[in-house]
Structures are given as structure tokens and as C-alpha cells.
Amino acid sequence: MIRLDKILGHTGWGSRKQIKELCRGGAVTVDGTVVRDSAVKVDPEAQVIAVHGNSVAYAEHYYLMLNKPAGVVSATEDRISPTVIGLLPQQYQGASLFPVGRLDKDTTGLLLLTNDGVWAHRITAPKKHIDKRYEAVVDGPIPADIDSRFRRGIILDDGLECLPAQAAVTGPQRLSIIVQEGKFHQVKRMCAAVGLTVTALRRCSIGNLQLDSALAPGAFRPLTVGEREMPFSK
Ligand code: URA
């Protein structure tokens, strides 16, 4: 059983005070009955909660796939730039969602958002060896031995050693790159280490989970229960 104001806060209906007022005003029903006390405990799995007649879809944890557009930062808040969390509708604003790892402001593509810290850690921890695949457009001559250099482990400009990665040439100035970790600007810096400048970068998949091609830049959708396990399979 969970307090009604907690459920409504989590699903974006405002601050505790605003929710108290919503309830007092008779806007909130539980199983069709008006509930004026926002502190009552309800069972969100068994009972139907509604605000102004709109049913409230409560879940403790959310798992979303976003097609990150360029120009937004992978953060929960930022003083200057719009954030990926800001792209979500009100219903997700009270649920403490955060991005699973970071994509640079100019990087596009698959970004997962959740409020499940354990699940996020399983994806981001380098020891879990989850493949993150990127498509990169590069400037400069692509070295013939780029894949073997990536597989041996690139050493970055500051001496940091990368885990073995992969690079396949997919077109003129285009690479498909797989890394298993998420160091700061990792793909761009790995490319720089072999003489290439990345001019566009897009993440396409994490493990077996691919970006849904129906999602326009900036659009998101919840993962299905099956998709939640796909980052962990190859
Ligand atoms: N590597 C980068 O350089 N940038 C990203 O956004 C992701 C991986």
C-alpha cells in the first residue's frame, strides 16, 4: 500500500501541496469514489486511481527508449541547455528518471531513461561487457588496420587505456563502432587516436536492443518487458 500523494507525485501531478488541493477539491477518485484525503494508502496495482477522470498509470520503475536529438544534454537538469528529461511529458516528471549513461550534446540515437538504479548499473558498468554500437561519420583517411587497433585497446590522449573495441568500415567516411564502456567522449577520442575526426555520431544499439526506427528524433516510448532484458543479450 502506498500513500496517494506519493503515487500522484510520482506520476507528475505536482507537489505534495498541489496534490492535497487536488484531492480536497474532489478531483481524485479511487475505484470511482472521490478521495479528499491525499494521505490515504492505496494499492496502485489493484485499485484504479484517476484525476479529473484520467486514470493514473503508476509503476515504481519506468524503462524508456528515447531517440535523442542533437542539442539536448544527457542530464536531469542543466542551467543552460534543454535536457533529455525535459523531453518527457508531465506524467514522468515526478518519477526521478535519469539517463542510463551519457551521450554528448551533439550525439543522437538510442538513450535509455529509467529510475531503476540497479538496471542502469547492469548496463553501464564496463565489467558487464555490454556492447554499445555507434555509427560514426568521420573526417580523414580511415586506417586499414583500424579494427585490429581498436581490438587491441586504444590508449587515449590522457593515457587512459580502453577495453577492446571493434570498428568496421560501412561506407566512405563511415564506421560502425562497438565499445563496452562509456568514458567521456570515448568514441570521438578513440577515433582521434587513429587520426580521425568524428563529424556525426549516432548510437544504434545496446546489447540486442536496437533503437526503434519508428521513433522520430526527440520521441520516446516505454520498453516492453521483454526489451528490458535485451541490453544483456548479444
Ligand atoms: N562516445 C562519444 O565520443 N560520444 C558519445 O556521445 C558517446 C560515445
mmCIF file of all heavy atoms in Angstrom, residues 27-78:
data_model
loop_
_atom_site.group_PDB
_atom_site.id
_atom_site.type_symbol
_atom_site.label_atom_id
_atom_site.label_comp_id
_atom_site.label_asym_id
_atom_site.label_seq_id
_atom_site.Cartn_x
_atom_site.Cartn_y
_atom_site.Cartn_z
ATOM 1 N N ALA A 27 -11.048 16.195 -7.126
ATOM 2 C CA ALA A 27 -10.637 15.779 -8.473
ATOM 3 C C ALA A 27 -10.141 14.337 -8.526
ATOM 4 O O ALA A 27 -9.986 13.769 -9.606
ATOM 5 C CB ALA A 27 -9.523 16.705 -8.959
ATOM 6 N N VAL A 28 -9.884 13.759 -7.354
ATOM 7 C CA VAL A 28 -9.219 12.445 -7.342
ATOM 8 C C VAL A 28 -10.193 11.354 -6.890
ATOM 9 O O VAL A 28 -10.879 11.503 -5.875
ATOM 10 C CB VAL A 28 -7.992 12.488 -6.390
ATOM 11 C CG1 VAL A 28 -7.288 11.136 -6.351
ATOM 12 C CG2 VAL A 28 -7.026 13.581 -6.840
ATOM 13 N N THR A 29 -10.220 10.281 -7.673
ATOM 14 C CA THR A 29 -11.062 9.141 -7.292
ATOM 15 C C THR A 29 -10.209 7.886 -7.169
ATOM 16 O O THR A 29 -9.190 7.737 -7.857
ATOM 17 C CB THR A 29 -12.173 8.875 -8.331
ATOM 18 O OG1 THR A 29 -11.548 8.698 -9.615
ATOM 19 C CG2 THR A 29 -13.171 10.007 -8.405
ATOM 20 N N VAL A 30 -10.643 7.012 -6.283
ATOM 21 C CA VAL A 30 -10.044 5.678 -6.179
ATOM 22 C C VAL A 30 -11.198 4.692 -6.320
ATOM 23 O O VAL A 30 -12.170 4.771 -5.563
ATOM 24 C CB VAL A 30 -9.302 5.491 -4.828
ATOM 25 C CG1 VAL A 30 -8.779 4.064 -4.705
ATOM 26 C CG2 VAL A 30 -8.155 6.493 -4.713
ATOM 27 N N ASP A 31 -11.085 3.849 -7.310
ATOM 28 C CA ASP A 31 -12.177 2.917 -7.652
ATOM 29 C C ASP A 31 -13.512 3.656 -7.793
ATOM 30 O O ASP A 31 -14.560 3.182 -7.326
ATOM 31 C CB ASP A 31 -12.281 1.792 -6.604
ATOM 32 C CG ASP A 31 -11.117 0.811 -6.730
ATOM 33 O OD1 ASP A 31 -10.519 0.740 -7.826
ATOM 34 O OD2 ASP A 31 -10.798 0.151 -5.736
ATOM 35 N N GLY A 32 -13.445 4.827 -8.377
ATOM 36 C CA GLY A 32 -14.669 5.566 -8.675
ATOM 37 C C GLY A 32 -15.212 6.420 -7.538
ATOM 38 O O GLY A 32 -16.150 7.187 -7.740
ATOM 39 N N THR A 33 -14.586 6.328 -6.370
ATOM 40 C CA THR A 33 -15.071 7.105 -5.224
ATOM 41 C C THR A 33 -14.137 8.289 -4.976
ATOM 42 O O THR A 33 -12.909 8.110 -4.965
ATOM 43 C CB THR A 33 -15.091 6.217 -3.949
ATOM 44 O OG1 THR A 33 -15.897 5.089 -4.242
ATOM 45 C CG2 THR A 33 -15.634 6.963 -2.746
ATOM 46 N N VAL A 34 -14.710 9.473 -4.792
ATOM 47 C CA VAL A 34 -13.870 10.661 -4.533
ATOM 48 C C VAL A 34 -13.132 10.478 -3.209
ATOM 49 O O VAL A 34 -13.727 10.096 -2.203
ATOM 50 C CB VAL A 34 -14.755 11.936 -4.502
ATOM 51 C CG1 VAL A 34 -13.944 13.140 -4.022
ATOM 52 C CG2 VAL A 34 -15.341 12.203 -5.888
ATOM 53 N N VAL A 35 -11.814 10.739 -3.250
ATOM 54 C CA VAL A 35 -10.999 10.639 -2.036
ATOM 55 C C VAL A 35 -10.418 12.021 -1.765
ATOM 56 O O VAL A 35 -9.649 12.541 -2.573
ATOM 57 C CB VAL A 35 -9.874 9.588 -2.210
ATOM 58 C CG1 VAL A 35 -8.949 9.584 -1.004
ATOM 59 C CG2 VAL A 35 -10.463 8.212 -2.430
ATOM 60 N N ARG A 36 -10.798 12.622 -0.645
ATOM 61 C CA ARG A 36 -10.371 14.003 -0.368
ATOM 62 C C ARG A 36 -9.126 14.070 0.506
ATOM 63 O O ARG A 36 -8.523 15.118 0.659
ATOM 64 C CB ARG A 36 -11.507 14.783 0.285
ATOM 65 C CG ARG A 36 -12.656 15.009 -0.708
ATOM 66 C CD ARG A 36 -13.774 15.858 -0.133
ATOM 67 N NE ARG A 36 -14.955 15.751 -0.969
ATOM 68 C CZ ARG A 36 -15.200 16.529 -2.025
ATOM 69 N NH1 ARG A 36 -14.369 17.478 -2.380
ATOM 70 N NH2 ARG A 36 -16.300 16.355 -2.743
ATOM 71 N N ASP A 37 -8.714 12.940 1.053
ATOM 72 C CA ASP A 37 -7.539 12.915 1.930
ATOM 73 C C ASP A 37 -6.362 12.332 1.138
ATOM 74 O O ASP A 37 -6.347 11.133 0.826
ATOM 75 C CB ASP A 37 -7.858 12.047 3.155
ATOM 76 C CG ASP A 37 -6.650 11.927 4.073
ATOM 77 O OD1 ASP A 37 -5.608 12.561 3.784
ATOM 78 O OD2 ASP A 37 -6.747 11.182 5.072
ATOM 79 N N SER A 38 -5.367 13.176 0.825
ATOM 80 C CA SER A 38 -4.263 12.727 -0.022
ATOM 81 C C SER A 38 -3.305 11.795 0.707
ATOM 82 O O SER A 38 -2.399 11.232 0.102
ATOM 83 C CB SER A 38 -3.497 13.936 -0.565
ATOM 84 O OG SER A 38 -2.989 14.705 0.494
ATOM 85 N N ALA A 39 -3.494 11.640 2.021
ATOM 86 C CA ALA A 39 -2.570 10.788 2.791
ATOM 87 C C ALA A 39 -3.041 9.337 2.890
ATOM 88 O O ALA A 39 -2.311 8.502 3.408
ATOM 89 C CB ALA A 39 -2.387 11.367 4.189
ATOM 90 N N VAL A 40 -4.216 9.031 2.346
ATOM 91 C CA VAL A 40 -4.691 7.645 2.490
ATOM 92 C C VAL A 40 -3.784 6.707 1.694
ATOM 93 O O VAL A 40 -3.157 7.094 0.704
ATOM 94 C CB VAL A 40 -6.158 7.437 2.009
ATOM 95 C CG1 VAL A 40 -7.137 8.223 2.844
ATOM 96 C CG2 VAL A 40 -6.294 7.751 0.542
ATOM 97 N N LYS A 41 -3.737 5.464 2.141
ATOM 98 C CA LYS A 41 -2.904 4.480 1.444
ATOM 99 C C LYS A 41 -3.766 3.664 0.493
ATOM 100 O O LYS A 41 -4.868 3.250 0.856
ATOM 101 C CB LYS A 41 -2.217 3.574 2.453
ATOM 102 C CG LYS A 41 -1.135 4.327 3.215
ATOM 103 C CD LYS A 41 -0.194 3.401 3.913
ATOM 104 C CE LYS A 41 1.025 4.176 4.374
ATOM 105 N NZ LYS A 41 1.905 3.359 5.171
ATOM 106 N N VAL A 42 -3.240 3.471 -0.710
ATOM 107 C CA VAL A 42 -3.985 2.686 -1.692
ATOM 108 C C VAL A 42 -3.037 1.662 -2.328
ATOM 109 O O VAL A 42 -1.812 1.764 -2.209
ATOM 110 C CB VAL A 42 -4.608 3.583 -2.802
ATOM 111 C CG1 VAL A 42 -5.629 4.542 -2.227
ATOM 112 C CG2 VAL A 42 -3.549 4.352 -3.539
ATOM 113 N N ASP A 43 -3.633 0.709 -3.010
ATOM 114 C CA ASP A 43 -2.832 -0.305 -3.703
ATOM 115 C C ASP A 43 -2.897 0.007 -5.204
ATOM 116 O O ASP A 43 -3.892 -0.286 -5.863
ATOM 117 C CB ASP A 43 -3.409 -1.698 -3.416
ATOM 118 C CG ASP A 43 -2.626 -2.782 -4.153
ATOM 119 O OD1 ASP A 43 -1.760 -2.431 -4.982
ATOM 120 O OD2 ASP A 43 -2.890 -3.965 -3.893
ATOM 121 N N PRO A 44 -1.839 0.612 -5.763
ATOM 122 C CA PRO A 44 -1.926 1.047 -7.168
ATOM 123 C C PRO A 44 -2.051 -0.111 -8.148
ATOM 124 O O PRO A 44 -2.425 0.082 -9.297
ATOM 125 C CB PRO A 44 -0.616 1.813 -7.379
ATOM 126 C CG PRO A 44 0.303 1.318 -6.330
ATOM 127 C CD PRO A 44 -0.532 0.885 -5.165
ATOM 128 N N GLU A 45 -1.731 -1.331 -7.700
ATOM 129 C CA GLU A 45 -1.849 -2.470 -8.631
ATOM 130 C C GLU A 45 -3.286 -2.979 -8.678
ATOM 131 O O GLU A 45 -3.742 -3.456 -9.714
ATOM 132 C CB GLU A 45 -0.906 -3.590 -8.204
ATOM 133 C CG GLU A 45 0.514 -3.074 -8.213
ATOM 134 C CD GLU A 45 1.558 -4.112 -8.494
ATOM 135 O OE1 GLU A 45 1.302 -5.291 -8.254
ATOM 136 O OE2 GLU A 45 2.645 -3.693 -8.927
ATOM 137 N N ALA A 46 -3.985 -2.842 -7.558
ATOM 138 C CA ALA A 46 -5.330 -3.425 -7.501
ATOM 139 C C ALA A 46 -6.427 -2.378 -7.654
ATOM 140 O O ALA A 46 -7.555 -2.715 -7.992
ATOM 141 C CB ALA A 46 -5.507 -4.160 -6.170
ATOM 142 N N GLN A 47 -6.085 -1.105 -7.392
ATOM 143 C CA GLN A 47 -7.136 -0.081 -7.405
ATOM 144 C C GLN A 47 -6.941 0.888 -8.572
ATOM 145 O O GLN A 47 -5.802 1.115 -9.005
ATOM 146 C CB GLN A 47 -7.112 0.674 -6.078
ATOM 147 C CG GLN A 47 -7.484 -0.231 -4.908
ATOM 148 C CD GLN A 47 -7.419 0.481 -3.577
ATOM 149 O OE1 GLN A 47 -6.346 0.770 -3.058
ATOM 150 N NE2 GLN A 47 -8.583 0.782 -3.040
ATOM 151 N N VAL A 48 -8.057 1.432 -9.042
ATOM 152 C CA VAL A 48 -7.987 2.370 -10.166
ATOM 153 C C VAL A 48 -8.018 3.799 -9.615
ATOM 154 O O VAL A 48 -8.994 4.211 -9.007
ATOM 155 C CB VAL A 48 -9.162 2.148 -11.151
ATOM 156 C CG1 VAL A 48 -9.106 3.170 -12.287
ATOM 157 C CG2 VAL A 48 -9.146 0.727 -11.676
ATOM 158 N N ILE A 49 -6.905 4.505 -9.859
ATOM 159 C CA ILE A 49 -6.798 5.890 -9.384
ATOM 160 C C ILE A 49 -7.000 6.791 -10.590
ATOM 161 O O ILE A 49 -6.457 6.521 -11.675
ATOM 162 C CB ILE A 49 -5.404 6.125 -8.771
ATOM 163 C CG1 ILE A 49 -5.157 5.102 -7.643
ATOM 164 C CG2 ILE A 49 -5.248 7.555 -8.254
ATOM 165 C CD1 ILE A 49 -3.698 4.871 -7.365
ATOM 166 N N ALA A 50 -7.774 7.855 -10.410
ATOM 167 C CA ALA A 50 -7.992 8.783 -11.526
ATOM 168 C C ALA A 50 -7.964 10.221 -11.023
ATOM 169 O O ALA A 50 -8.326 10.496 -9.867
ATOM 170 C CB ALA A 50 -9.319 8.482 -12.213
ATOM 171 N N VAL A 51 -7.487 11.114 -11.896
ATOM 172 C CA VAL A 51 -7.502 12.550 -11.600
ATOM 173 C C VAL A 51 -8.292 13.219 -12.716
ATOM 174 O O VAL A 51 -7.959 13.042 -13.903
ATOM 175 C CB VAL A 51 -6.072 13.126 -11.538
ATOM 176 C CG1 VAL A 51 -6.126 14.619 -11.208
ATOM 177 C CG2 VAL A 51 -5.218 12.389 -10.522
ATOM 178 N N HIS A 52 -9.321 13.948 -12.361
ATOM 179 C CA HIS A 52 -10.220 14.553 -13.351
ATOM 180 C C HIS A 52 -10.693 13.500 -14.358
ATOM 181 O O HIS A 52 -10.782 13.772 -15.560
ATOM 182 C CB HIS A 52 -9.519 15.694 -14.121
ATOM 183 C CG HIS A 52 -9.110 16.852 -13.263
ATOM 184 N ND1 HIS A 52 -9.989 17.551 -12.482
ATOM 185 C CD2 HIS A 52 -7.904 17.414 -13.069
ATOM 186 C CE1 HIS A 52 -9.346 18.508 -11.846
ATOM 187 N NE2 HIS A 52 -8.076 18.443 -12.168
ATOM 188 N N GLY A 53 -10.856 12.288 -13.882
ATOM 189 C CA GLY A 53 -11.343 11.219 -14.767
ATOM 190 C C GLY A 53 -10.265 10.533 -15.589
ATOM 191 O O GLY A 53 -10.545 9.556 -16.290
ATOM 192 N N ASN A 54 -9.005 11.030 -15.518
ATOM 193 C CA ASN A 54 -7.921 10.389 -16.286
ATOM 194 C C ASN A 54 -7.235 9.369 -15.386
ATOM 195 O O ASN A 54 -6.708 9.728 -14.328
ATOM 196 C CB ASN A 54 -6.856 11.415 -16.708
ATOM 197 C CG ASN A 54 -7.453 12.532 -17.521
ATOM 198 O OD1 ASN A 54 -8.111 12.289 -18.525
ATOM 199 N ND2 ASN A 54 -7.258 13.768 -17.065
ATOM 200 N N SER A 55 -7.188 8.112 -15.839
ATOM 201 C CA SER A 55 -6.595 7.117 -14.950
ATOM 202 C C SER A 55 -5.078 7.303 -14.879
ATOM 203 O O SER A 55 -4.428 7.731 -15.828
ATOM 204 C CB SER A 55 -6.996 5.704 -15.360
ATOM 205 O OG SER A 55 -6.479 5.457 -16.614
ATOM 206 N N VAL A 56 -4.561 6.985 -13.729
ATOM 207 C CA VAL A 56 -3.141 7.212 -13.421
ATOM 208 C C VAL A 56 -2.407 5.890 -13.577
ATOM 209 O O VAL A 56 -2.758 4.910 -12.927
ATOM 210 C CB VAL A 56 -3.032 7.735 -11.963
ATOM 211 C CG1 VAL A 56 -1.594 7.755 -11.488
ATOM 212 C CG2 VAL A 56 -3.678 9.109 -11.843
ATOM 213 N N ALA A 57 -1.411 5.879 -14.479
ATOM 214 C CA ALA A 57 -0.662 4.637 -14.713
ATOM 215 C C ALA A 57 0.588 4.655 -13.834
ATOM 216 O O ALA A 57 1.614 5.205 -14.217
ATOM 217 C CB ALA A 57 -0.288 4.533 -16.183
ATOM 218 N N TYR A 58 0.479 4.055 -12.663
ATOM 219 C CA TYR A 58 1.604 4.072 -11.723
ATOM 220 C C TYR A 58 2.465 2.826 -11.904
ATOM 221 O O TYR A 58 1.962 1.716 -12.036
ATOM 222 C CB TYR A 58 1.083 4.106 -10.288
ATOM 223 C CG TYR A 58 2.182 3.965 -9.259
ATOM 224 C CD1 TYR A 58 2.886 5.081 -8.826
ATOM 225 C CD2 TYR A 58 2.536 2.724 -8.752
ATOM 226 C CE1 TYR A 58 3.904 4.961 -7.893
ATOM 227 C CE2 TYR A 58 3.551 2.594 -7.818
ATOM 228 C CZ TYR A 58 4.234 3.713 -7.393
ATOM 229 O OH TYR A 58 5.251 3.589 -6.478
ATOM 230 N N ALA A 59 3.763 3.034 -11.897
ATOM 231 C CA ALA A 59 4.696 1.910 -11.775
ATOM 232 C C ALA A 59 5.852 2.435 -10.945
ATOM 233 O O ALA A 59 6.213 3.608 -11.064
ATOM 234 C CB ALA A 59 5.183 1.457 -13.146
ATOM 235 N N GLU A 60 6.421 1.582 -10.130
ATOM 236 C CA GLU A 60 7.553 2.046 -9.318
ATOM 237 C C GLU A 60 8.720 2.428 -10.238
ATOM 238 O O GLU A 60 9.345 3.461 -10.100
ATOM 239 C CB GLU A 60 7.962 0.944 -8.341
ATOM 240 C CG GLU A 60 9.062 1.406 -7.394
ATOM 241 C CD GLU A 60 9.596 0.281 -6.531
ATOM 242 O OE1 GLU A 60 9.092 -0.853 -6.628
ATOM 243 O OE2 GLU A 60 10.532 0.570 -5.761
ATOM 244 N N HIS A 61 8.972 1.558 -11.209
ATOM 245 C CA HIS A 61 10.099 1.800 -12.122
ATOM 246 C C HIS A 61 9.604 1.989 -13.548
ATOM 247 O O HIS A 61 8.675 1.309 -13.981
ATOM 248 C CB HIS A 61 11.077 0.626 -12.066
ATOM 249 C CG HIS A 61 11.829 0.568 -10.776
ATOM 250 N ND1 HIS A 61 12.019 -0.587 -10.070
ATOM 251 C CD2 HIS A 61 12.424 1.550 -10.047
ATOM 252 C CE1 HIS A 61 12.702 -0.319 -8.970
ATOM 253 N NE2 HIS A 61 12.953 0.968 -8.931
ATOM 254 N N TYR A 62 10.273 2.883 -14.248
ATOM 255 C CA TYR A 62 9.970 3.115 -15.657
ATOM 256 C C TYR A 62 11.216 2.813 -16.482
ATOM 257 O O TYR A 62 12.347 3.025 -16.016
ATOM 258 C CB TYR A 62 9.558 4.573 -15.893
ATOM 259 C CG TYR A 62 8.283 4.945 -15.176
ATOM 260 C CD1 TYR A 62 8.310 5.722 -14.031
ATOM 261 C CD2 TYR A 62 7.058 4.501 -15.651
ATOM 262 C CE1 TYR A 62 7.142 6.057 -13.367
ATOM 263 C CE2 TYR A 62 5.880 4.831 -14.993
ATOM 264 C CZ TYR A 62 5.928 5.608 -13.855
ATOM 265 O OH TYR A 62 4.776 5.918 -13.201
ATOM 266 N N TYR A 63 10.977 2.341 -17.702
ATOM 267 C CA TYR A 63 12.071 1.975 -18.612
ATOM 268 C C TYR A 63 11.698 2.528 -19.983
ATOM 269 O O TYR A 63 10.773 2.013 -20.618
ATOM 270 C CB TYR A 63 12.223 0.451 -18.678
ATOM 271 C CG TYR A 63 12.396 -0.190 -17.315
ATOM 272 C CD1 TYR A 63 11.282 -0.566 -16.558
ATOM 273 C CD2 TYR A 63 13.662 -0.396 -16.778
ATOM 274 C CE1 TYR A 63 11.429 -1.126 -15.299
ATOM 275 C CE2 TYR A 63 13.820 -0.959 -15.515
ATOM 276 C CZ TYR A 63 12.694 -1.322 -14.788
ATOM 277 O OH TYR A 63 12.842 -1.868 -13.536
ATOM 278 N N LEU A 64 12.390 3.574 -20.403
ATOM 279 C CA LEU A 64 12.025 4.241 -21.652
ATOM 280 C C LEU A 64 13.185 4.221 -22.633
ATOM 281 O O LEU A 64 14.366 4.267 -22.234
ATOM 282 C CB LEU A 64 11.650 5.706 -21.385
ATOM 283 C CG LEU A 64 10.607 5.992 -20.304
ATOM 284 C CD1 LEU A 64 10.411 7.494 -20.158
ATOM 285 C CD2 LEU A 64 9.287 5.316 -20.621
ATOM 286 N N MET A 65 12.821 4.196 -23.918
ATOM 287 C CA MET A 65 13.803 4.329 -25.001
ATOM 288 C C MET A 65 13.539 5.676 -25.656
ATOM 289 O O MET A 65 12.400 5.975 -26.025
ATOM 290 C CB MET A 65 13.566 3.189 -25.994
ATOM 291 C CG MET A 65 14.179 3.384 -27.336
ATOM 292 S SD MET A 65 13.556 2.198 -28.583
ATOM 293 C CE MET A 65 14.153 0.653 -27.994
ATOM 294 N N LEU A 66 14.603 6.481 -25.774
ATOM 295 C CA LEU A 66 14.476 7.808 -26.396
ATOM 296 C C LEU A 66 15.367 7.854 -27.625
ATOM 297 O O LEU A 66 16.498 7.354 -27.591
ATOM 298 C CB LEU A 66 14.939 8.878 -25.387
ATOM 299 C CG LEU A 66 15.092 10.310 -25.922
ATOM 300 C CD1 LEU A 66 13.716 10.957 -26.126
ATOM 301 C CD2 LEU A 66 15.916 11.166 -24.956
ATOM 302 N N ASN A 67 14.858 8.461 -28.706
ATOM 303 C CA ASN A 67 15.727 8.786 -29.836
ATOM 304 C C ASN A 67 16.254 10.191 -29.563
ATOM 305 O O ASN A 67 15.590 11.185 -29.865
ATOM 306 C CB ASN A 67 14.957 8.718 -31.152
ATOM 307 C CG ASN A 67 15.872 8.970 -32.343
ATOM 308 O OD1 ASN A 67 17.075 9.191 -32.177
ATOM 309 N ND2 ASN A 67 15.305 8.936 -33.534
ATOM 310 N N LYS A 68 17.442 10.224 -28.961
ATOM 311 C CA LYS A 68 17.975 11.530 -28.531
ATOM 312 C C LYS A 68 18.291 12.395 -29.744
ATOM 313 O O LYS A 68 19.025 11.969 -30.633
ATOM 314 C CB LYS A 68 19.236 11.329 -27.680
ATOM 315 C CG LYS A 68 19.826 12.652 -27.186
ATOM 316 C CD LYS A 68 21.213 12.457 -26.585
ATOM 317 C CE LYS A 68 21.883 13.783 -26.295
ATOM 318 N NZ LYS A 68 22.145 14.590 -27.502
ATOM 319 N N PRO A 69 17.761 13.606 -29.748
ATOM 320 C CA PRO A 69 18.136 14.522 -30.834
ATOM 321 C C PRO A 69 19.423 15.260 -30.459
ATOM 322 O O PRO A 69 19.818 15.275 -29.286
ATOM 323 C CB PRO A 69 16.948 15.489 -30.870
ATOM 324 C CG PRO A 69 16.412 15.495 -29.475
ATOM 325 C CD PRO A 69 16.765 14.185 -28.831
ATOM 326 N N ALA A 70 20.038 15.901 -31.426
ATOM 327 C CA ALA A 70 21.192 16.752 -31.128
ATOM 328 C C ALA A 70 20.687 17.986 -30.384
ATOM 329 O O ALA A 70 19.515 18.372 -30.516
ATOM 330 C CB ALA A 70 21.873 17.157 -32.432
ATOM 331 N N GLY A 71 21.541 18.574 -29.556
ATOM 332 C CA GLY A 71 21.192 19.848 -28.913
ATOM 333 C C GLY A 71 20.601 19.725 -27.522
ATOM 334 O O GLY A 71 20.316 20.736 -26.896
ATOM 335 N N VAL A 72 20.402 18.498 -27.037
ATOM 336 C CA VAL A 72 19.931 18.331 -25.653
ATOM 337 C C VAL A 72 20.990 17.558 -24.884
ATOM 338 O O VAL A 72 21.697 16.721 -25.441
ATOM 339 C CB VAL A 72 18.564 17.602 -25.556
ATOM 340 C CG1 VAL A 72 17.453 18.391 -26.201
ATOM 341 C CG2 VAL A 72 18.636 16.219 -26.158
ATOM 342 N N VAL A 73 21.095 17.869 -23.593
ATOM 343 C CA VAL A 73 22.142 17.227 -22.790
ATOM 344 C C VAL A 73 21.577 16.023 -22.037
ATOM 345 O O VAL A 73 20.417 16.014 -21.635
ATOM 346 C CB VAL A 73 22.836 18.221 -21.821
ATOM 347 C CG1 VAL A 73 23.615 19.270 -22.595
ATOM 348 C CG2 VAL A 73 21.855 18.877 -20.875
ATOM 349 N N SER A 74 22.442 15.025 -21.851
ATOM 350 C CA SER A 74 22.048 13.802 -21.138
ATOM 351 C C SER A 74 22.182 14.046 -19.642
ATOM 352 O O SER A 74 23.120 13.565 -19.006
ATOM 353 C CB SER A 74 22.951 12.637 -21.527
ATOM 354 O OG SER A 74 22.882 12.385 -22.895
ATOM 355 N N ALA A 75 21.247 14.816 -19.108
ATOM 356 C CA ALA A 75 21.302 15.152 -17.693
ATOM 357 C C ALA A 75 19.875 15.326 -17.208
ATOM 358 O O ALA A 75 18.946 15.453 -18.011
ATOM 359 C CB ALA A 75 22.085 16.442 -17.500
ATOM 360 N N THR A 76 19.710 15.362 -15.889
ATOM 361 C CA THR A 76 18.364 15.560 -15.343
ATOM 362 C C THR A 76 18.044 17.046 -15.261
ATOM 363 O O THR A 76 16.902 17.451 -15.363
ATOM 364 C CB THR A 76 18.235 14.911 -13.953
ATOM 365 O OG1 THR A 76 19.304 15.378 -13.143
ATOM 366 C CG2 THR A 76 18.303 13.404 -14.050
ATOM 367 N N GLU A 77 19.077 17.867 -15.037
ATOM 368 C CA GLU A 77 18.854 19.323 -15.110
ATOM 369 C C GLU A 77 20.116 20.009 -15.596
ATOM 370 O O GLU A 77 21.222 19.480 -15.454
ATOM 371 C CB GLU A 77 18.403 19.910 -13.771
ATOM 372 C CG GLU A 77 18.832 19.158 -12.554
ATOM 373 C CD GLU A 77 18.305 19.768 -11.276
ATOM 374 O OE1 GLU A 77 17.111 20.108 -11.232
ATOM 375 O OE2 GLU A 77 19.107 19.906 -10.341
ATOM 376 N N ASP A 78 19.908 21.183 -16.185
ATOM 377 C CA ASP A 78 21.030 21.946 -16.707
ATOM 378 C C ASP A 78 20.623 23.413 -16.739
ATOM 379 O O ASP A 78 19.470 23.716 -17.057
ATOM 380 C CB ASP A 78 21.387 21.453 -18.121
ATOM 381 C CG ASP A 78 22.722 21.982 -18.583
ATOM 382 O OD1 ASP A 78 23.746 21.335 -18.297
ATOM 383 O OD2 ASP A 78 22.753 23.052 -19.226
#
